[in-house]
Amino acid sequence: GAEFYQLCLADHCVAANFGNWIYFSGVGGDPKNRHFRTVSQAWRYDPDGIYVRKWSEKLRDCEDTEEVLRPWDFQKDWFAPIVPPETQLTWKDREGLEKTGRISN
């Protein structure tokens, strides 16, 4: 992404461009210890699960967006997540999940 993006710019700073790509991908050094929380981000920016439904045939026809966001908790034949799912929620979303069993409203 970084290489393509810099080709689109007439004036760019290589260090700032690559530094920002690293920072926003969550793999660079960060003194504030911020993390990209994939499940919470999906809920916040795609609350209807349109992106996931487009690319996952198994989830395309799910009526419950919660199942689209957390299929491992709803489908018995879903593969085990590589990253522990509880690490992919913000504190607020984790609290809501513990209280109501859902992160969506």
Side-chain angles (χ1 to χ4, degrees):
E3 287 182 50
F4 175 77
Y5 186 69
Q6 76 185 27
L7 292 173
C8 296
L9 299 173
D11 181 23
H12 73 280
C13 171
V14 174
N17 184 33
F18 277 82
N20 282 328
W21 277 88
I22 290 170
Y23 175 78
F24 285 110
S25 68
V27 297
D30 186 354
K32 294 186 179 179
N33 200 24
R34 287 175 276 225
H35 300 281
F36 186 74
R37 310 287 184 190
T38 56
V39 176
S40 290
Q41 290 283 71
W43 166 241
R44 185 167 292 111
Y45 296 106
D46 186 19
D48 296 321
I50 293 169
Y51 180 85
V52 173
R53 290 174 204 270
K54 177 177 180 171
W55 295 104
S56 175
E57 289 182 31
K58 288 180 89 173
L59 299 173
R60 192 163 290 148
D61 297 322
C62 290
E63 292 183 23
D64 187 1
T65 302
E66 196 78 22
E67 184 175 348
V68 173
L69 296 173
R70 301 182 300 114
W72 52 86
D73 286 337
F74 292 86
Q75 297 187 11
K76 293 180 182 182
D77 63 337
W78 196 264
F79 55 90
I82 296 171
V83 177
E86 62 274 8
T87 67
Q88 299 306 300
L89 296 168
T90 62
W91 179 84
K92 180 183 174 189
D93 290 342
R94 187 176 314 132
E95 186 179 59
L97 180 61
E98 291 169 0
K99 285 182 180 178
T100 65
R102 301 178 66 79
I103 59 171
S104 61
N105 303 355

